[in-house]
Amino acid sequence: MVDAVPFPDFPGTVGVLAALIFVISSMLAMGFSLSVREIIEPLKNVRLVILSLAANFVLTPLLTLVLLLVFPLSEGLPTGLFLLGAAAGAPFRPKLAQVAKGDIAFAVGLMVVTIAYMPIALPLLLSGVTIDPREIAQSLILLMLLPLTIALLVRARYEEIATGLLPLMNQATNLALLTRIVAFFVVYFTDLVGVIGTTAIIAAVIFLSVSRSSPATSSADRAAARNVCSPSGRRSATSRRRWPLPPSTSPTRT
């Protein structure tokens, strides 16, 4: 006999399932739309890679630590803000790069770096929180790296099949993201209202503003722009298969 899910828990269950579908379908979509060569190519720009890694994995976590020292936050919020600062290559990053018409291949490269970075860094950085590095690595590998690898192999051997499945994966990604956003607001509406007027709002606004306008991030953006605007970059951008843009997407905290 199947146990029924109580209605108050139903939106949360839907949100969790939507998050899983979003991660897996977005990884498949990236693998179906890119090749291994296209992912590796942007990583040959050493200056861009160094600036991006410094901005995402050094400066942003440091900014988070400063904010946590300046603004007192209630229990749970410091951990969430620090995870947001440390997880620079989360699966939402390629989707944001897609919406911003950025370099999706480079975003995928940073995401792969995160898969190796998170299991090692989080247990060291989050004191007082019990974290199993093996569980983190296992979930990242199974939900992100494995689907991406499978899709890359399918595209390498059966490009027509990958091209046919790409629109379906994009639709699944967009629908799952929208469902996740709605479920998030339904489940955490009371908590979100309770945060209004607290230092958490100030910390979040400063975090988003400074992390977006930091010198390293701006330099990396300019370097990426020069790469795309160059003759070779234009040829690469023209030959690269891009995802069709959804009407609108927004990142959520998972």
Side-chain angles (χ1 to χ4, degrees), residues 20 22-32 34 36 39-40 43 89-91 94 105 107-119 135-154:
L20 292 175
F22 170 80
V23 173
I24 295 175
S25 60
S26 62
M27 294 301 104
L28 291 173
M30 283 183 284
F32 289 148
L34 298 170
V36 176
I39 296 175
I40 296 176
L43 301 180
V108 173
L110 286 182
M111 183 197 67
V112 173
V113 173
T114 302
I115 295 177
Y117 163 83
M118 293 289 284
E135 291 185 1
I136 298 176
Q138 183 179 5
S139 62
L140 291 175
I141 292 173
L142 291 179
L143 296 179
M144 297 173 63
L145 189 58
L146 182 60
L148 177 63
T149 302
I150 292 175
L152 288 171
L153 292 175
V154 171

Side-chain angles (χ1 to χ4, degrees), residues 5 9-21 176 179-180 183-184 187:
V5 178
D9 298 334
F10 181 73
T13 302
V14 172
V16 171
L17 292 176
L20 292 175
I21 294 173
T179 304
R180 174 61 180 170
F184 173 83
V187 174

Side-chain angles (χ1 to χ4, degrees), residues 17-253:
L17 292 176
L20 292 175
I21 294 173
F22 170 80
V23 173
I24 295 175
S25 60
S26 62
M27 294 301 104
L28 291 173
M30 283 183 284
F32 289 148
S33 62
L34 298 170
S35 65
V36 176
R37 181 178 180 181
E38 288 173 328
I39 296 175
I40 296 176
E41 188 66 28
L43 301 180
K44 295 180 181 179
N45 188 332
V46 179
R47 181 173 179 271
L48 175 61
V49 171
I50 293 176
L51 288 174
S52 299
L53 292 178
N56 288 292
F57 300 112
V58 179
L59 296 183
T60 303
L62 287 178
L63 170 63
T64 305
L65 290 176
V66 172
L67 290 175
L68 293 178
L69 292 175
V70 174
F71 298 101
L73 299 178
S74 60
E75 183 179 358
L77 292 179
T79 302
L81 184 61
F82 197 86
L83 287 173
L84 181 63
F92 288 103
R93 186 181 188 91
K95 171 61 71 174
L96 294 176
Q98 172 200 357
V99 174
K101 299 182 180 180
D103 193 334
I104 300 175
F106 187 69
V108 173
L110 286 182
M111 183 197 67
V112 173
V113 173
T114 302
I115 295 177
Y117 163 83
M118 293 289 284
I120 300 173
L122 287 185
L124 299 176
L125 297 175
L126 292 178
S127 59
V129 180
T130 302
I131 297 177
D132 188 347
R134 291 173 299 181
E135 291 185 1
I136 298 176
Q138 183 179 5
S139 62
L140 291 175
I141 292 173
L142 291 179
L143 296 179
M144 297 173 63
L145 189 58
L146 182 60
L148 177 63
T149 302
I150 292 175
L152 288 171
L153 292 175
V154 171
R155 185 181 186 275
R157 295 181 62 91
Y158 310 102
E159 186 172 356
E160 291 185 0
I161 295 178
T163 302
L165 290 175
L166 180 58
L168 179 62
M169 293 300 102
N170 281 321
Q171 293 174 5
T173 300
N174 297 332
L175 180 60
L177 180 58
L178 178 60
T179 304
R180 174 61 180 170
I181 294 173
V182 173
F184 173 83
F185 280 100
V186 171
V187 174
Y188 296 105
F189 179 78
T190 303
D191 296 326
L192 292 173
V193 173
V195 170
I196 297 176
T198 66
T199 55
I201 296 295
I202 302 175
V205 171
I206 295 176
F207 173 82
L208 293 174
S209 301
V210 176
S211 62
R212 180 62 184 89
S213 61
S214 64
T217 305
S218 300
S219 299
D221 290 341
R222 288 194 297 269
R226 287 196 299 269
N227 181 52
V228 173
C229 292
S230 65
S232 60
R234 285 196 299 269
R235 287 194 298 269
S236 176
T238 302
S239 61
R240 181 177 300 153
R241 186 174 282 107
R242 292 186 177 273
W243 299 350
L245 292 179
S248 62
T249 53
S250 300
T252 61
R253 190 180 69 182

